[in-house]
Amino acid sequence: MHRAELARRRDIAAGLAAEAAALAARLRAEGRGTASLKGTQDFLTEADGATERFLRDRLGALFPGEAVLGEEMGGEVAGEGPLWVLDPIDGTSNFARGADRWCVSVGLVVGGRAVAGAVARHAPAEVFAGAEGSGATLNGAPIRAAPTEDITRALIEVGWSLRSPLAGFHRLSERVMAAGAGLRCGGSGALGLVETACGRLDAYLELHINSWDAAAALAIAREAGCWTTDFDSGDWLARGNPIGFGAPALGARLAALLQA
């Protein structure tokens, strides 16, 4: 897919993600943000399903026949053609409690590689977007990864998931703090990833994250100049992978922290 078409799709993804975030916020205000449990600490609200249906309907009208993979409604991951990868609300536990640290993620994968996408917040109103070969932006302004060179000055978010043993999260957190970095955990992997892309954080590390949480953010982070792991490799669409983004000068240290 050529650069101009990727940029066009990025812009569409950005618009849809912002609309979907506004929809989710409205549904919560109407009382449709109460959470039920899919599993231990795995939350679901009525707004999650309604937001994913909105995105699927809009993408189906704009790109008939193209495949969609979403957190709530699944989808097929085989094939080389364009695949839209959706997380209708990332940070559902925050969303359900009335907090604002949640977002909507709309990613585009071609040939198994994350190539474009957008991540939108409602409050504050922020849209992170990127497309291969066209740079990365926040509300239309270019963004870059942090220039941090000293890990003892770094802020690092460590994601937590019950999909990997809790002891691994503890060990990773201990390694980050032993290296002298500040530790954060905000409850939305997609936001942690894009905030690394714009330099608010110096890195985001997690031992396992799903494709819908990270597909859009990966395309954005690469264009922002981040060091990244090869997240979109292997069976990442169906099974997820470990992930790391960070300031480019810290790449070797971050890789060692993640793999130790």
Side-chain angles (χ1 to χ4, degrees):
M1 192 174 292
H2 55 77
R3 177 176 171 177
E5 177 61 12
L6 287 178
R8 184 180 78 90
R9 287 168 175 252
R10 171 207 61 202
D11 292 345
I12 289 171
L16 291 179
E19 286 187 63
L23 170 63
R26 185 169 69 251
L27 292 172
R28 183 173 68 177
E30 294 171 356
R32 296 163 69 183
T34 302
S36 59
L37 281 173
K38 294 187 288 184
T40 304
Q41 289 295 317
D42 190 3
F43 294 92
L44 175 68
T45 71
E46 183 182 348
D48 286 88
T51 304
E52 184 166 324
R53 284 191 295 274
F54 164 80
L55 289 169
R56 285 175 176 270
D57 289 347
R58 291 293 299 276
L59 288 168
L62 290 164
F63 303 102
E66 292 191 3
V68 178
L69 171 66
E71 178 178 11
E72 306 307 337
M73 301 176 190
E76 297 296 324
V77 299
E80 295 295 307
L83 171 67
W84 294 95
V85 183
L86 312 176
D87 193 340
I89 300 176
D90 184 70
T92 301
S93 60
N94 293 335
F95 175 85
R97 288 168 171 79
D100 290 326
R101 191 165 179 78
W102 58 273
C103 62
V104 175
S105 178
V106 179
L108 177 65
V109 173
V110 178
R113 178 178 171 83
V115 294
V119 173
R121 297 185 74 175
H122 180 67
E126 294 184 329
V127 180
F128 300 82
E132 198 167 79
S134 297
T137 61
L138 168 54
N139 290 347
I143 56 174
R144 296 294 295 174
T148 308
E149 298 180 354
D150 181 354
I151 200 165
T152 66
R153 295 179 177 270
L155 289 176
I156 298 177
E157 181 162 348
V158 177
W160 170 80
S161 168
L162 284 174
R163 293 178 294 273
S164 59
L166 187 58
F169 169 78
H170 289 157
R171 288 193 296 269
L172 177 56
S173 299
E174 288 170 359
R175 291 195 296 271
V176 166
M177 296 184 74
L183 184 69
R184 299 290 185 272
C185 187
S188 170
L191 277 180
L193 293 166
V194 294
E195 289 186 336
T196 301
C198 75
R200 291 177 185 165
L201 294 169
D202 297 294
Y204 183 97
L205 305 174
E206 187 166 346
L207 295 174
H208 180 274
I209 197 168
N210 285 318
S211 57
W212 43 79
D213 298 310
L218 180 55
I220 295 165
R222 283 172 173 155
E223 289 299 303
C226 286
W227 163 82
T228 68
T229 54
D230 56 347
F231 176 75
D232 52 351
S233 62
D235 198 17
W236 73 285
L237 286 166
R239 297 182 179 276
N241 263 331
I243 199 165
F245 291 3
L250 297 178
R253 291 294 305 275
L254 296 170
L257 290 173
L258 193 59
Q259 296 168 7

